[in-house]
């Protein structure tokens, strides 16, 4: 039994053995701490024994005091040794449990991609910003005046039938069928100043739905007005744009056409980017792909924008960005752009236009 008083002293050997056994059994640092408290804490057995020394006769007190202090030192040493072993063990366990192989490849977070129309839009806008055009923006719900009348398409003008409009529940308003109303808005904003040199990109709406037409699509309108602007300026601008978009070998051709807001008017083709002009399925063996409508701004339109057709002239064109995307990336169903099929969209790169 520990703590028994042997003749003339304390059973320090027994105590030391008891402590050793308890420490051996303690398998965590917390258990070791419990052992320490039981023996050396404020109410610990050794502490109590030391406190009890005062009751002994002087002779015995000295001898017992020395023994108890040696015992205390021995106990402290044992505790410290045991703690060291356990701490090392616990550390090893933690390291094993939290093992991290730094040679593993990192996780690649899924990165979003720009929609092909967004990429084409940025590309074209960049081309024109570098040519000194300003970028303007306008409403998708547009008045009949801006969308038709001001553009030389009065109410019973047959040209209105060219575009089946979406009307909205507001008298005199439509979802704009073209970005051309931005020509009038830009002229009004310029207030007669020269030159006017703008592009306006945005959504337009028509009652159309097949492989080459969707009810909502994206146009970019361009308008230049100054003194002495001619067809050559239009042609040069379009050639520069086409080469920047489809490659330096690209050629363009202008076919006479009709738009109410331009005179003369042209439809513009570029050499087919798929076959390089030799003829293929995409260009229906013609070697050419139509990309836009263009022309010299009609005098009536200039007037409606507040400019004098006797003093200034201008050109305008309207480019369909979905078509540009089709030609540039080489796919043949426009609807793919708006079906949100990840397998289609994931084929386009990440921003910098590599393709
Ligand atoms: N607004 C026409 C359309 O949507 C395209 C167009 C043709 C725009 C000739 C123009 C232009 O600015 O001059 O079909």
């Amino acid at each position: 039994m520990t703590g028994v008083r042997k003749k003339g002293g304390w059973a320090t050997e027994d105590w030391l053995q008891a402590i050793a056994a308890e420490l051996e059994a303690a398998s965590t640092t917390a258990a070791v701490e419990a052992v320490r408290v039981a023996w050396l804490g404020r109410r610990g057995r050794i502490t109590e024994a030391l406190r009890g020394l005062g009751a002994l006769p002087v002779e015995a007190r000295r001898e017992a005091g020395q023994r108890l202090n040696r015992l205390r030192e021995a106990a402290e040493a044992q505790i410290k040794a045991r703690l060291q072993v356990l701490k090392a063990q616990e550390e090893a366990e933690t390291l094993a449990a939290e093992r991290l192989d730094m040679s593993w490849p990192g996780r690649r977070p899924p990165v979003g991609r720009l929609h092909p129309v967004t990429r084409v839009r940025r590309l074209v806008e960049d081309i024109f910003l570098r040519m000194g055009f300003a970028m303007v923006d306008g409403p998708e719900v547009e008045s009949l005046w801006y969308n038709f009348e001001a553009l030389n398409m009065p109410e019973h003008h047959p040209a209105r039938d060219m575009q089946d409009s979406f009307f909205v529940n507001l008298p005199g308003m439509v979802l704009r069928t073209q970005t051309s109303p931005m020509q009038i808005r830009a002229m009004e904003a310029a207030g007669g100043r020269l030159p006017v040199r703008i592009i306006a990109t945005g959504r337009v709406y028509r009652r159309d739905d097949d492989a080459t037409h969707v009810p909502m699509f994206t146009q970019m309108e361009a308008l230049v007005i100054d003194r002495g602007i001619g067809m050559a300026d239009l042609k040069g601008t379009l050639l520069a744009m086409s080469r920047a978009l489809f490659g330096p070998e690209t050629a363009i051709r202008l076919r006479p056409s009709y738009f109410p807001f331009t005179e003369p008017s042209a439809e513009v083709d570029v050499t087919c980017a798929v076959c390089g002009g030799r003829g293929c399925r995409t260009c229906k063996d013609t070697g050419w792909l139509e990309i836009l409508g263009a022309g010299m701004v009609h005098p009536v339109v200039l007037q409606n924008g507040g400019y004098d057709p006797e003093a200034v002239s201008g050109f305008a064109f309207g480019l369909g960005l979905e078509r540009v995307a089709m030609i540039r990336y080489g796919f043949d169903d426009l609807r793919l752009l708006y079906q949100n099929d990840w397998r289609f969209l994931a084929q386009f790169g990440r921003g910098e236009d590599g393709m």
Side-chain angles (χ1 to χ4, degrees), residues 163 178 180 183 206 219 221 259 261-262 293-295 316-318:
Q163 304 166 359
Q178 48 187 355
S180 300
Q183 292 186 25
R206 285 181 205 175
Q219 274 190 343
E221 194 79 12
F259 298 101
F261 31 87
T262 42
F317 64 85

Side-chain angles (χ1 to χ4, degrees), residues 320-337:
L321 295 193
E322 283 78 4
R323 264 195 83 70
V324 173
M326 274 170 81
I327 296 170
R328 190 174 161 86
Y329 301 127
F331 58 95
D332 58 10
D333 190 336
L334 210 87
R335 288 170 296 197
L336 283 168
L337 288 170

Side-chain angles (χ1 to χ4, degrees), residues 124-143:
V124 186
E125 285 177 344
D126 199 48
I127 293 169
F128 283 94
L129 289 179
R130 275 182 283 150
M131 287 199 265
F133 283 68
M135 229 158 85
V136 297
D137 214 2
E140 290 177 25
V141 178
E142 187 57 283
S143 73

Side-chain angles (χ1 to χ4, degrees), residues 22-32 82 86 89-90 93:
E22 283 176 34
L23 285 176
E24 186 66 42
S27 58
T28 64
T29 52
V32 172
R82 183 66 180 149
L86 287 178
Q89 243 171 46
E90 281 171 12
E93 275 162 25

Side-chain angles (χ1 to χ4, degrees), residues 128 131 230-243 252 254 315:
F128 283 94
M131 287 199 265
M231 279 300 263
D233 300 300
L234 170 62
K235 203 173 170 187
T237 306
L238 291 177
L239 186 62
M241 177 197 80
S242 302
R243 292 192 164 162
I252 60 170
L254 274 64
F315 70 75

